[in-house]
Amino acid sequence: MYTAPSSPHDSTTAIPPLLERRRFATQAELQAVVWWQLLEPAHRLRVAQDMMVGQVLAGELVCRTGRAPTFWFGLLEGLLKMSNDGSQGQTITFSGLVPGGWFGEGTLLKREPYRYNVQALRNSVVAVLPIDTFHWLLDHSIAFNRYIMNQLNERLGQFIAAREVERLDSPNVRVARSLAALFNPILFPVGGDKMLRITQQELAYLVGLSRQRVNEALRVLSLHGAIRVGYGGLLVSDLELLRRGTFETA
DNA sequence: TCATTAAATTGTT
DNA sequence: AACAATTTAATGA
């Protein structure tokens, strides 16, 4: 299913048709949203009326640096990559995004343009909540405020961890930490599932390594018993080891 | 349900 | 980057 969309790093990719061909969220989709469950009935109703869902094809951008903030985004299905274009044209990947994750709250809070690109690594389903609804929730729901506060705090920790990884770590450890980040229960509350559907090619785009190198790293990680690799995905068997382990050699 | 074929993904150089 | 090997998905009897 993965036909390298010319290059997920291609900045000439057209503006997302996410705004077109989208529909309202179904009841099942709403109930799968963790923070929606925290709201009281009146607040749930407003969200149900305003939240929409759209399809994003592999390679397309969900949001783009410099664009005015319009939505808070949630990934329902698929795989996204959050990155930034450095001053010399290098692409810096901050984080991968797996289903259950919501992003853009920092930008919406400040009402400033997005500071990163979010690109679909495969066909994905994305939910959007209008910025006005987002602020209305902040004004009316304590539960929502608490959720956002938690999320901001957790994301801060994730960025700090990402910086450390970026500097001093071996490819093996980079892959390990990047994988571990996808299992953050606060940012990606996906029901404690240790199973991750991701191809080695997708993971390669995520961590910025070649597929070959990722393949080798996964081999080492599984030798250490941190993960089990399978066709089209992997299983995390020791999350703590994945987070803290040093996988220097095989 | 099974066999066949195409497509996707992995393993290796 | 290229290629072979393996796994999955799709198709039709």
Side-chain angles (χ1 to χ4, degrees):
Chain A
M1 157 83 93
Y2 196 82
T3 54
S6 69
S7 160
H9 309 283
D10 188 355
S11 59
T12 65
T13 310
I15 297 300
L18 181 60
L19 306 180
E20 307 146 23
R21 75 166 189 281
R22 68 182 181 194
R23 53 174 174 76
F24 288 104
T26 67
Q27 196 64 24
E29 286 167 339
L30 283 167
Q31 285 176 353
V33 174
V34 173
W35 56 263
W36 190 77
Q37 301 279 10
L38 304 174
L39 304 179
E40 44 189 275
H43 300 158
R44 286 188 183 188
L45 185 59
R46 166 97 191 243
V47 172
Q49 287 169 342
D50 295 351
M51 189 160 96
M52 303 206 71
V53 175
Q55 182 94 24
V56 186
L57 301 180
E60 289 180 341
L61 290 172
V62 174
C63 83
R64 166 170 232 157
T65 307
R67 301 259 300 183
T70 48
F71 295 113
W72 191 40
F73 298 100
L75 182 60
L76 304 187
E77 219 181 292
L79 183 66
L80 307 181
K81 183 186 77 167
M82 182 182 287
S83 64
N84 204 342
D85 298 323
S87 47
Q88 283 95 29
Q90 359 66 320
T91 298
I92 304 167
T93 297
F94 291 135
S95 149
L97 297 160
V98 293
W102 286 75
F103 57 94
E105 64 279 346
T107 295
L108 263 57
L109 281 171
K110 292 179 292 184
R111 292 183 185 277
E112 287 175 354
Y114 294 108
R115 294 191 171 172
Y116 41 77
N117 295 320
V118 174
Q119 186 176 39
L121 289 179
R122 79 168 80 119
N123 294 351
S124 301
V125 180
V126 174
V128 296
L129 191 74
I131 183 171
D132 288 342
T133 311
F134 179 84
H135 276 101
W136 182 85
L137 281 174
L138 285 178
D139 289 341
H140 292 86
S141 171
I142 290 179
F144 190 72
N145 276 274
R146 212 176 273 135
Y147 177 89
I148 293 296
M149 209 181 297
N150 257 322
Q151 165 128 336
L152 284 171
N153 189 39
E154 205 59 40
R155 202 182 291 289
L156 177 62
Q158 196 187 35
F159 280 153
I160 290 174
R163 283 202 62 181
E164 292 173 357
V165 170
E166 184 185 341
R167 304 163 87 195
L168 44 88
D169 285 327
S170 75
N172 289 348
V173 180
R174 283 183 60 179
V175 172
R177 302 287 172 81
S178 299
L179 273 177
L182 298 182
F183 286 91
N184 182 316
I186 306 292
L187 294 177
F188 309 113
V190 276
D193 200 357
K194 297 301 181 200
M195 186 48 169
L196 179 61
R197 279 269 326 188
I198 189 173
T199 68
Q200 298 181 4
Q201 178 65 80
E202 290 167 336
L203 194 51
Y205 280 129
L206 215 55
V207 298
L209 296 171
S210 71
R211 183 173 71 78
Q212 291 94 322
R213 195 59 191 80
V214 168
N215 182 264
E216 167 65 8
L218 290 180
R219 191 182 67 82
V220 174
L221 297 188
S222 67
L223 272 176
H224 283 75
I227 62 173
R228 292 194 51 180
V229 301
Y231 185 88
L234 54 86
L235 183 70
V236 177
S237 40
D238 190 341
L239 185 52
E240 273 309 297
L241 181 59
L242 205 55
R243 284 210 185 97
R244 312 199 194 296
T246 64
F247 306 91
E248 300 306 337
T249 59

